[in-house]
Amino acid sequence: MSERLFIAVGFDEELCKRLSQEVKKVKINLDKAEVGFKWVHFENYHVTLVFLGATEAQRKEQIVSSIRELEYQLPSFELFISGVDAFDSEQKARVIYCGVQNKKVLRSMVDVIREKLGLESDETYSPHLTIARLRNSGNVKDIISPVRRKDFFKVPVTELRLYKSVMAGNYPSYKVLERFKLSAEGIN
């Protein structure tokens, strides 16, 4: 039986709660708007590095083994969480997210992991932290404008996680399957 897997940067509970408080203006505006949406619970906050999709048990073992070989070789780093935006666009939004600075080290890490797993490079990779999903696409320009350019905070990243996505109704929930430590020497 396959599982939907992805490798991501995860955050501790305290940081997730803090970010949840920071995006309160969006929550207040979205609650007032007549837009059907579902907030991502703070326990599910993450930044996907590599989406693996449906993965059989044998392949999962290979993935874990391959990433273990990279453990402590990849550098720790800081992510800068900044601004709020929407996919596909403000006018036809399906997802509301916080921006993540696409630092050179992050892009390099994604490339190293993809190469190690035998995956092609992903030129469309756009790091983000999803905070809400809309049931139907809608215009969220006025909703996100108060925090569009807000700088939230820097996040130290000292580990990567392998997650399993589990559908809970119409929306996913995530379970950490494995943790992989990064080199302590990398944080700048």
Side-chain angles (χ1 to χ4, degrees):
M1 185 165 130
S2 67
E3 298 175 307
R4 287 177 48 92
L5 304 179
F6 59 94
I7 298 167
V9 170
F11 307 107
D12 64 37
E13 186 175 332
E14 183 180 321
L15 186 76
C16 289
K17 284 180 179 177
R18 188 172 143 210
L19 181 59
S20 186
Q21 289 300 309
E22 290 283 341
V23 296
K24 218 171 207 168
K25 282 185 183 177
V26 175
K27 286 185 176 187
I28 290 167
N29 290 341
L30 200 51
D31 287 340
K32 289 178 187 175
E34 293 186 20
V35 179
F37 65 93
K38 168 90 169 137
W39 287 110
V40 172
H41 194 274
F42 68 82
E43 292 173 346
N44 285 329
Y45 286 171
H46 67 274
V47 176
T48 300
L49 301 179
V50 178
F51 179 74
L52 301 163
T55 307
E56 297 297 328
Q58 183 178 1
R59 176 67 175 138
K60 179 174 121 180
E61 289 174 22
Q62 293 170 343
I63 290 166
V64 170
S65 177
S66 293
I67 302 302
R68 286 269 175 248
E69 291 175 13
L70 294 174
E71 200 168 27
Y72 295 107
Q73 293 179 33
L74 297 171
S76 298
F77 60 100
E78 289 183 328
L79 283 181
F80 188 57
I81 309 295
S82 173
V84 175
D85 208 342
F87 287 133
D88 295 328
S89 70
E90 291 177 340
Q91 291 76 29
K92 294 181 180 178
R94 298 280 303 174
V95 170
I96 298 175
Y97 67 90
C98 290
V100 175
Q101 181 181 6
N102 194 2
K103 290 179 67 169
K104 197 176 195 178
V105 68
L106 180 63
R107 180 72 219 180
S108 175
M109 186 171 293
V110 168
D111 290 343
V112 167
I113 292 168
R114 292 186 72 81
E115 184 178 327
K116 184 73 172 176
L117 299 177
L119 303 172
E120 292 182 21
S121 179
D122 182 2
E123 300 304 321
T124 63
Y125 177 68
S126 178
H128 63 280
L129 192 157
T130 300
I131 58 172
R133 290 183 175 84
L134 281 69
R135 290 185 181 96
N136 298 301
S137 64
N139 189 327
V140 297
K141 183 176 182 177
D142 293 338
I143 294 168
I144 64 175
S145 65
V147 289
R148 168 174 278 298
R149 303 206 190 292
K150 180 173 177 47
D151 291 339
F152 294 111
F153 42 77
K154 287 185 179 180
V155 181
V157 179
T158 59
E159 71 175 17
L160 303 180
R161 299 175 184 176
L162 176 65
Y163 285 90
K164 173 170 93 169
S165 177
V166 180
M167 289 306 289
N170 294 328
Y171 300 97
S173 176
Y174 309 114
K175 179 181 179 192
V176 177
L177 300 177
E178 299 280 342
R179 295 172 186 264
F180 309 98
K181 295 292 181 194
L182 301 175
S183 167
E185 296 178 18
I187 286 191
N188 44 6

